[in-house]
Amino acid sequence: MALLYMADPARGEVWRRLIGEMAPDIDVRIWPNIGNPADIRWVAVWDVHVDLTATFPNLEVIFSTGAGVDHLDFSRIPARIPVVRMVEPGIVEGMVEYVTMAVLALHRDLPTYIDQQKKHVWAQHYETPAAQRRVGIMGLGSLGQASLAGLAPFGFPLAGWSRSPRAIPNVETFAGEAGLGAFLARTDILVCLLPLTAETRGILDARLFARMPAGARIVNAGRGGHVVADDLVAALDAGTLSGAVLDVTEPEPLPPEHPFWSHPRILLTPHVASLTRPETAVISLLENLRRHAAGEPMIGLVDRSRGY
């Protein structure tokens, strides 16, 4: 029985070495060197090159190498084959670091000072205390809740919004369309960590920006498809928003002429907020393989009705 790794080949070699040390009975193959397709029981995938179920007749589980599964076409995956997203400590730790960095950068007006440096301008600006800067996170799964916990020591008033109600200590929570307006109205810095689904695509648009306080700021570390790019640029130019930190875009990478590259109110990073760490990812994968063999629920099993 074999596991096929379909993502960055260099990282695949690390996965193969680690799995060889921890579970030497598993034959790890790296795309495109698949050997006999009938041997493949599991795939760990990010870049999908083929029709997985048609190519691998004995496929049992599809593992995403990242926290999301929006890169997979569920219409081509039979319901009998479980799809599992990556849930591992490295992803969580990385996201907490990035969200903390991005929120603090916007809180302390870093886009303004970076722009001033380029123009050789030395000017100080009023500093808003953290206790007066309200931060809200959209998406209250493991990444959202861990990010809220990471921000708590700074003293920001914290809130969260999700599709269904959640209760989180010391966090004001809102849910569904009924709670979205009140959530946006009290949020000065909005962090999007939502999964990308048909319902959330384009959620960061002109209508949403208009429901936030004037001069609010945006962090998107979810997916590029959450943002309507033209609406974001227009909101920044009009002063509806005063800054944005974007780790994800659509497409990736952006074309050279895209306005995100040079906009003075945007800080842009190349989808690095939360990278899967092989050392911990492999442990999570092997645990799920054990659970699958034992007939136990796998961690990160995707609910197809929700898309995550």
Side-chain angles (χ1 to χ4, degrees):
M1 294 189 294
L3 166 75
L4 177 64
Y5 184 91
M6 299 180 73
D8 176 63
R11 292 174 68 84
E13 291 294 347
V14 179
W15 279 54
R16 177 151 57 190
R17 174 179 60 80
L18 292 170
I19 292 174
E21 295 171 356
M22 301 179 196
D25 55 317
I26 296 178
D27 178 12
V28 179
R29 301 175 187 178
I30 301 172
W31 178 268
N33 301 313
I34 66 174
N36 184 353
D39 296 339
I40 305 299
R41 295 296 190 274
W42 320 286
V43 295
V45 60
W46 183 258
D47 300 316
V48 181
H49 302 279
V50 295
D51 184 325
L52 296 175
T53 55
T55 306
F56 308 114
N58 297 315
L59 185 63
E60 297 179 7
V61 185
I62 296 172
F63 294 98
S64 172
T65 59
V69 292
D70 49 281
H71 56 293
L72 299 176
D73 183 355
F74 282 87
S75 68
R76 303 181 68 180
I77 302 174
R80 63 180 174 80
I81 298 182
V83 178
V84 180
R85 58 187 177 84
M86 180 59 68
V87 179
E88 60 98 1
I91 288 179
V92 176
E93 292 167 5
M95 186 60 76
V96 171
E97 291 174 1
Y98 188 91
V99 168
T100 302
M101 175 202 72
V103 168
L104 290 175
L106 292 175
H107 169 58
R108 295 301 301 267
D109 296 315
L110 197 59
T112 296
Y113 291 118
I114 290 175
D115 188 48
Q116 287 185 181
Q117 179 183 355
K118 293 177 180 177
K119 297 175 180 177
H120 297 195
V121 173
W122 187 278
Q124 297 178 343
H125 300 275
Y126 173 76
E127 178 184 325
T128 299
Q132 297 176 23
R133 185 85 75 187
R134 301 163 296 177
V135 177
I137 291 184
M138 300 181 78
L140 297 179
S142 58
L143 297 180
Q145 293 193 42
S147 296
L148 285 164
L151 290 169
F154 296 96
F156 298 111
L158 299 174
W161 180 87
S162 56
R163 190 171 80 163
S164 54
R166 299 286 184 98
I168 304 173
N170 303 313
V171 175
E172 186 178 10
T173 56
F174 303 82
E177 184 60 36
L180 183 58
F183 168 76
L184 294 172
R186 56 78 56 211
T187 298
D188 301 309
I189 299 178
L190 174 65
V191 181
C192 179
L193 296 179
L194 292 167
L196 184 62
T197 65
E199 292 74 25
T200 64
R201 176 171 288 278
I203 193 170
L204 301 179
D205 64 1
R207 292 171 298 174
L208 181 142
F209 302 148
R211 301 168 77 180
M212 299 181 68
R217 300 125 198 256
I218 299 288
V219 177
N220 186 24
R223 287 290 185 265
H226 288 128
V227 174
V228 178
D230 290 345
D231 288 2
L232 177 59
V233 171
L236 290 168
D237 289 345
T240 305
L241 300 178
S242 63
V245 176
L246 307 176
D247 183 58
V248 286
T249 62
E250 193 172 74
E252 292 181 359
L254 289 173
E257 68 278 6
H258 199 284
F260 285 179
W261 285 114
S262 56
H263 200 287
R265 311 305 302 167
I266 293 176
L267 299 183
L268 185 66
T269 54
H271 204 149
V272 295
S274 182
L275 300 176
T276 302
R277 298 176 184 173
E279 295 78 8
T280 45
V282 163
I283 294 173
S284 296
L285 174 76
L286 294 177
E287 170 60 18
N288 269 333
L289 290 180
R290 183 199 67 76
R291 286 170 173 261
H292 177 63
E296 301 173 7
M298 288 181 284
I299 300 169
L301 182 65
V302 171
D303 180 343
R304 295 189 183 215
S305 68
R306 296 190 174 194
Y308 59 91

